[in-house]
Amino acid sequence: MRSDNRTEKSIKRKKRRKKNYLLRLLVFILICVGLYFVTHIEYFTVDGIAVVGNEEISDEEILELSELKTGENIFDVHPWFVERRIKKNLYVKDVDVDRKLPNEVIIRVTERDGKAQFRMGKRFVITDNEGMVLEISKEERQITLVDGIEVEAAELKDTIEVSNADAYGKSMKLIRAMEDNDLYFKRISVDKSDVEAYVYDDLVCRGRYDNVMSAIRSDALRTVVYDLYQDNVESGVINISSNNYCSFTP
């Protein structure tokens, strides 16, 4: 008799556990359904998408890449997936997508700038200051053109392959120094240890590579260029020698 009682009690406990499990499952499903309907009311419909931090890339291009549209529910916006889509543009260095309840999405963009361009046949290879290829364009951009570098191969997101590695390395160091010291050259050329850096089409800086780098870093060259700019001088030669000495010849 005792054995039968224990068996009967065990069966009853199992039935109660099963009922409790089904009840909890039903409550969970009801909560999920309720949350879905609450979060998908018109109050949470996206009616504004803001793009901030971009200068080179247009708002329209960012929005097209994001695939976001007004009228969709804000809880259907998944930031991680949106960020991955926007990063397909290589000029986008970083992006953060923020949902602002109840109905706004903010896309914050950090751009990667094109700093140098190289001729490759009839096209121009655009890179950042580390040499990563951002774009291969049929048109010349308004960034420093590096002359005298023979590009053997270039693929997006990769570094370019060149035949004259020494001149390429010196050119990229010049571009980084130029950026760090608030200078802009329209065109540069490095031939062994000699440098020509064009401020304008007819205003050129000339000197040995080490001397030019030293004059850039010391601000001596920037001072001369600024003085010429103030005097509206756009042609002539700035000769750069040792000890950061710069002389101008009209």
Side-chain angles (χ1 to χ4, degrees), residues 124-136:
F124 294 89
V125 179
I126 316 300
T127 78
D128 64 9
N129 59 13
E130 296 298 328
M132 187 182 87
V133 178
L134 303 177
E135 181 184 1
I136 299 174

Side-chain angles (χ1 to χ4, degrees), residues 6-225:
R6 283 196 297 269
T7 301
E8 186 177 346
K9 288 179 180 179
S10 177
I11 292 171
K12 287 181 179 179
R13 281 196 299 270
K14 288 180 180 178
K15 286 182 178 180
R16 282 198 299 269
R17 282 199 297 268
K18 186 175 181 180
K19 286 181 181 179
N20 289 336
Y21 171 77
L22 291 173
L23 181 61
R24 287 196 296 269
L25 179 61
L26 178 61
V27 170
F28 176 74
I29 291 172
L30 289 173
I31 290 172
C32 290
V33 171
L35 284 173
Y36 177 82
F37 282 106
V38 168
T39 57
H40 282 72
I41 61 177
E42 189 175 350
Y43 181 68
F44 294 109
T45 298
V46 175
D47 67 3
I49 305 172
V51 182
V52 297
N54 56 313
E55 293 183 2
E56 300 297 326
I57 314 169
S58 68
D59 290 0
E60 291 75 18
E61 188 171 357
I62 295 293
L63 290 172
E64 183 178 349
L65 286 167
S66 75
E67 299 181 12
L68 295 178
K69 293 179 176 61
T70 56
E72 64 180 310
N73 186 275
I74 197 167
F75 293 104
D76 291 333
V77 174
H78 302 290
W80 187 81
F81 292 105
V82 177
E83 290 163 6
R84 282 178 62 86
R85 291 195 291 266
I86 294 173
K87 282 185 176 181
K88 289 179 181 178
N89 186 312
L90 296 182
Y91 283 97
V92 176
K93 184 177 183 179
D94 197 15
V95 60
D96 179 63
V97 176
D98 187 20
R99 296 182 297 188
K100 303 289 286 186
L101 296 177
N103 53 13
E104 186 180 8
V105 177
I106 300 177
I107 302 173
R108 294 183 176 86
V109 176
T110 302
E111 292 179 325
R112 179 184 285 113
D113 297 331
K115 298 298 182 183
Q117 59 186 330
F118 304 81
R119 289 190 179 94
M120 186 174 69
K122 294 183 178 180
R123 295 179 295 172
F124 294 89
V125 179
I126 316 300
T127 78
D128 64 9
N129 59 13
E130 296 298 328
M132 187 182 87
V133 178
L134 303 177
E135 181 184 1
I136 299 174
S137 172
K138 293 180 180 179
E139 299 179 355
E140 185 175 350
R141 302 300 190 204
Q142 288 187 328
I143 55 178
T144 303
L145 175 66
V146 182
D147 270 338
I149 302 293
E150 183 180 343
V151 178
E152 296 183 333
E155 292 186 13
L156 296 177
K157 296 178 70 174
D158 224 335
T159 53
I160 62 174
E161 296 181 22
V162 299
S163 58
N164 36 356
D166 181 62
Y168 168 74
K170 288 178 177 177
S171 298
M172 297 309 291
K173 287 179 181 178
L174 267 173
I175 287 172
R176 288 192 288 271
M178 176 185 78
E179 181 183 12
D180 291 341
N181 293 273
D182 196 25
L183 269 172
Y184 173 74
F185 296 126
K186 187 173 182 179
R187 177 163 58 94
I188 64 173
S189 175
V190 178
D191 181 14
K192 295 181 180 178
S193 293
D194 294 320
V195 172
E196 285 191 345
Y198 287 80
V199 180
Y200 306 113
D201 287 333
D202 298 313
L203 178 60
V204 59
C205 307
R206 289 180 180 150
R208 304 287 287 179
Y209 172 78
D210 291 341
N211 293 338
V212 173
M213 287 291 285
S214 177
I216 292 174
R217 289 168 175 161
S218 71
D219 263 357
L221 181 56
R222 185 166 67 93
T223 300
V224 173
V225 169

Side-chain angles (χ1 to χ4, degrees), residues 217-234:
R217 289 168 175 161
S218 71
D219 263 357
L221 181 56
R222 185 166 67 93
T223 300
V224 173
V225 169
Y226 181 74
D227 288 343
L228 293 173
Y229 168 77
Q230 291 287 88
D231 293 335
N232 296 314
V233 176
E234 296 186 3

